[in-house]
Amino acid sequence: MELLVAALAGFAVAALTAPVGVSGAVLLLPVQLSALGMHGPQVSATNLLYNVVATPLGIARLARSARGNGAEMLVVTAAAVPCAVAGAAVRVTWLSDPLLFRGLLGVLLLGTGVRLLSPSRRDAPPRPGRERGGRRLLAAAAGGASLVGAAVGIGGGSLLSPLLIGVAGWVTARAAVVALTTTFATSVVGLTAYAVFDRVGFGAAPAAPDWETGLALGTGGALGSLAGIALSRRMGERPLRLLLGALVCLTGAVYLAGLLT
């Protein structure tokens, strides 16, 4: 029954979040902590396993309609690799405190939701001579998102996508493929780091993922991401972004309120 709940949860959140470049892991953390009763760094590792399974189909589908994003995808992948290892190390040491972890999760959820609710600007043509500098900023943003994403277990796309849409003014389709690429790279490297840390006894335990739960979440998420991308083509990006932003804000507020009680 728990695996069925996990698969359904993965499908539902991915259908809502994949079209805007968010894997859904940001909303699965509360499911694992509350509904499935998981705890410790294992929660973050299991979420990254979900990303590894759930995001490739969505990336492939989005990449078919994306043009000129190959260099950007390489930039964010290169930035994500070392930062994901660092993020996993932070999680099994400093962020092993449950209250600290929940507080950080609540802040990230609220920030992500606010950005998604903010009006987005359309793409502006690149200015001459600014392409290299723009890629440096993209690498820095992807690296920071990867570090935090690996530590919390959300992969980084849920942090990077709102920045690209709300701050940089990218259209959702362009931001989505780059953000999901960041999530996938972060998740593969971060998941490996968690498994190694658990194996050698570094930091708090358990750090290795719950493989069955992660695979069930990911299988549902893979199907949900395809359904969500198809749905977005009929509904448009704005309704999905507003719905996701409201849901993420509400979840973050509930977590922060729980720390005060």
Side-chain angles (χ1 to χ4, degrees), residues 55-66 177 225-227 229-230 233:
T55 55
L57 287 178
I59 293 173
R61 180 64 63 87
L62 288 170
R64 291 178 186 174
S65 58
V177 67
S225 65
L226 296 180
I229 292 169
R233 291 173 179 169

Side-chain angles (χ1 to χ4, degrees), residues 4-32 36 47 50-51 54-55 109 116 153-154 158 180 213-214 216-229 231 240-241 243-245 247-248 251:
L4 178 59
V5 170
L8 291 175
F11 180 91
V13 299
L16 179 63
T17 59
V20 294
V22 181
S23 72
V26 66
L27 293 176
L28 287 177
L29 282 170
V31 173
Q32 291 188 60
L36 299 179
N47 242 29
Y50 157 81
N51 285 335
T55 55
L109 286 167
L116 287 168
I154 58 179
S158 58
L180 282 178
T213 300
L217 288 167
T219 300
L223 298 176
S225 65
L226 296 180
I229 292 169
L231 179 64
L240 287 176
R241 189 172 69 246
L243 178 60
L244 176 60
L247 182 58
V248 172
T251 307

Side-chain angles (χ1 to χ4, degrees), residues 117-247:
L117 290 172
S118 301
S120 62
R121 299 170 296 174
R122 291 295 177 181
D123 277 333
R127 298 178 183 177
R130 295 293 182 86
E131 183 177 0
R132 182 176 301 178
R135 289 181 181 175
R136 288 174 181 168
L137 290 175
L138 177 61
S146 178
L147 191 151
V148 177
V152 179
I154 58 179
S158 58
L159 303 176
L160 184 60
S161 182
L163 287 175
L164 295 178
I165 295 171
V167 177
W170 289 24
V171 294
T172 301
R174 180 186 178 197
V177 67
V178 173
L180 282 178
T181 299
T182 304
T183 289
F184 181 70
T186 299
S187 300
V188 170
V189 177
L191 176 63
T192 302
Y194 277 112
V196 171
F197 292 159
D198 187 78
R199 182 74 174 178
V200 302
F202 174 73
D210 183 321
W211 295 98
E212 290 186 350
T213 300
L215 291 173
L217 288 167
T219 300
L223 298 176
S225 65
L226 296 180
I229 292 169
L231 179 64
S232 70
R233 291 173 179 169
R234 296 190 176 187
M235 294 180 58
E237 65 184 51
R238 182 171 175 77
L240 287 176
R241 189 172 69 246
L242 293 178
L243 178 60
L244 176 60
L247 182 58

Side-chain angles (χ1 to χ4, degrees), residues 90-111:
V90 168
R91 177 66 171 101
V92 299
T93 54
W94 180 58
L95 274 181
S96 60
D97 184 328
L99 289 179
L100 184 60
F101 178 74
R102 285 173 178 262
L104 177 60
L105 175 59
V107 170
L108 290 175
L109 286 167
L110 272 179

